[in-house]
Amino acid sequence: MSDFLQVNNVKTSFFTQFGEVQAVGGVSFGLNSGEVLGIVGESGSGKSVTMLSIMRLLDDNGKVKEGEVLFEGKDLVTMSEADMCKIRGDAIAMIFQDPMTCLNPLMTVGKQLMEPLRIHKNMSKDEAFNRAVELLGLVGIPSPKSRMKQYPHEFSGGMRQRVMIAMALSCNPKLLIADEPTTALDVTIQAQILEIMKDIKNKLNTSIILITHDLGVVADICDKVNVMYGGLIVESGAVNDIYYNPKHPYTWGLMESVPNPNTLAKKRLKPIDGQPPDLFKPPKGCPFYARCKYAMKVCQEKRPAFYEISKGHKAACWLNDERAPKVEVPLKGGEADE
Ligand code: SF4
């Protein structure tokens, strides 16, 4: 249990004209102050919905049906909307993948940065202006004072993402949730944004949850990792546990589909064949059953228990049971096969 953020058995569904989609099927994890947690998985694995559930930013047809999200001991799920509004953008801030959808194209960047400072921190106009300039400088925007007067379209994609990070940091959040913050950017800019996030962690001790499908990004910045599949966490542990001792076939598959610069010339990357489970009818047993080459009879019938591999490292796979057959673990990073 963590005193900072503790998510307990959160289940989130969307109600559509075709029925209920169980996007998150019971997710639990903790995050300590100053830690960086990576959440990895493919599209539809439930990683973004988990974060939107924490922030209470689900679409109108989405609902957290069960569970609790304890942030510094208070349950965000049952909190009044007025109290939640005070937390959003203040103690907890979020960065999205596409800054253009979050920035107001008709308002100068300076005004957008000053607004939360005026609302949440009661700053005067001058104080907010000076703090906004300071924030733009912090995220590496050159000539920050003169750029305050500019509109979002006058910034490049990478610079806009920096503005978003500055906005998210404006009220000194204790927790920053970043949803695929580098996906839309080219590799050089990606690296710069990750450096800024590392800096934030080191200088401000901000806790960060980083949602990504990129295991390389996770290795670079995270302390621990949750691997999600089919709306569930299937493996969690410290970064080294996940990289050097993964214990779930889906994690192995992710590893094999990651480019490894040491072997790239000789080895082929392996996609994970098949489709994710139908969340209108979540499978009774293991969500990865249909795509898993190690699947056994029990996997189809019974959801795997979480096996503790070592302290803080858990994997939901029957292969970790002492009665399961021993299988050869593929190497990581596309090293398994020619
Ligand atoms: Fe594969 Fe069975 Fe493990 Fe699921 S529980 S990942 S189907 S071996």
Side-chain angles (χ1 to χ4, degrees):
M1 285 286 283
S2 165
D3 294 340
F4 181 66
L5 177 73
Q6 183 63 46
V7 175
N8 291 327
N9 194 31
V10 163
K11 295 185 181 173
T12 301
S13 288
F14 290 94
F15 297 88
T16 74
Q17 55 176 322
F18 306 108
E20 179 181 344
V21 183
Q22 200 183 87
V24 176
V27 154
S28 302
F29 62 88
L31 178 72
N32 294 317
S33 182
E35 270 182 344
V36 181
L37 167 71
I39 302 196
V40 289
E42 59 197 27
S43 299
S45 59
K47 51 195 197 309
S48 295
V49 176
T50 303
M51 291 310 117
L52 293 172
S53 304
I54 291 176
M55 291 293 276
R56 297 246 308 256
L57 288 174
L58 294 164
D59 285 345
D60 289 347
N61 65 340
K63 188 170 188 283
V64 176
K65 289 178 68 184
E66 253 182 82
E68 53 183 12
V69 176
L70 301 174
F71 178 65
E72 297 188 318
K74 290 188 191 133
D75 188 3
L76 303 185
V77 175
T78 53
M79 187 175 271
S80 72
E81 187 50 32
D83 286 342
M84 194 63 213
C85 273
K86 285 185 203 143
I87 286 187
R88 258 188 240 120
D90 187 21
I92 308 180
M94 196 157 176
I95 307 169
F96 295 92
Q97 183 177 338
D98 181 4
M100 232 15 207
T101 57
C102 305
L103 291 170
N104 184 339
L106 303 176
M107 219 192 244
T108 63
V109 157
K111 212 164 177 193
Q112 294 185 60
L113 274 163
M114 287 163 66
E115 205 169 63
L117 295 166
R118 304 262 288 149
I119 295 170
H120 288 296
K121 298 290 174 198
N122 285 326
M123 282 189 184
S124 70
K125 220 170 165 185
D126 283 351
E127 284 170 334
F129 182 87
N130 291 334
R131 175 72 179 139
V133 171
E134 193 188 330
L135 285 163
L136 287 181
L138 183 76
V139 295
I141 293 193
S143 319
K145 210 165 180 173
S146 60
R147 302 217 75 175
M148 290 279 286
K149 296 192 271 315
Q150 293 184 321
Y151 289 86
H153 73 269
E154 295 176 84
F155 287 70
S156 66
M159 286 292 167
R160 280 198 288 266
Q161 193 55 290
R162 286 170 198 241
V163 171
M164 278 301 301
I165 296 174
M167 275 176 78
L169 292 179
S170 58
C171 296
N172 290 332
K174 294 174 182 169
L175 171 61
L176 182 65
I177 300 177
D179 190 356
E180 305 268 10
T182 60
T183 303
L185 305 171
D186 71 45
V187 186
T188 324
I189 311 292
Q190 271 187 23
Q192 291 169 0
I193 297 290
L194 286 181
E195 277 310 309
I196 292 170
M197 295 190 64
K198 274 192 227 167
D199 239 36
I200 292 165
K201 179 202 164 185
N202 295 337
K203 282 189 191 148
L204 310 176
N205 198 37
T206 311
S207 304
I208 300 175
I209 298 180
L210 182 64
I211 303 169
T212 180
H213 60 270
D214 186 339
L215 278 170
V217 167
V218 166
D220 207 24
I221 179 171
C222 297
D223 300 306
K224 52 191 197 180
V225 186
N226 288 343
V227 180
M228 284 193 75
Y229 185 80
L232 297 167
I233 294 174
V234 295
E235 183 161 11
S236 62
V239 166
N240 282 349
D241 294 331
I242 302 295
Y243 275 82
Y244 299 111
N245 190 26
K247 289 290 184 185
H248 195 286
Y250 178 62
T251 315
W252 300 340
L254 283 181
M255 293 289 184
E256 288 186 291
S257 58
V258 171
N260 180 334
N262 301 323
T263 58
L264 204 54
K266 299 173 276 172
K267 309 283 180 183
R268 259 198 219 141
L269 299 179
K270 280 178 155 184
I272 303 172
D273 291 332
Q275 299 295 323
D278 178 0
L279 296 178
F280 279 108
K281 282 183 251 141
K284 194 165 109 197
C286 173
F288 196 53
Y289 175 78
R291 300 169 83 181
C292 181
K293 67 178 181 186
Y294 309 97
M296 302 166 280
K297 197 160 176 279
V298 62
C299 306
Q300 189 176 19
E301 289 158 6
K302 236 174 136 188
R303 185 159 286 180
F306 252 117
Y307 287 88
E308 178 143 25
I309 312 299
S310 59
K311 192 167 181 292
H313 181 197
K314 291 187 289 181
C317 171
W318 289 122
L319 285 177
N320 295 297
D321 193 282
E322 57 186 19
R323 292 160 294 178
K326 298 289 163 251
V327 300
E328 200 179 324
V329 178
L331 298 174
K332 72 183 182 74
E335 294 174 358
D337 273 322
E338 291 285 331

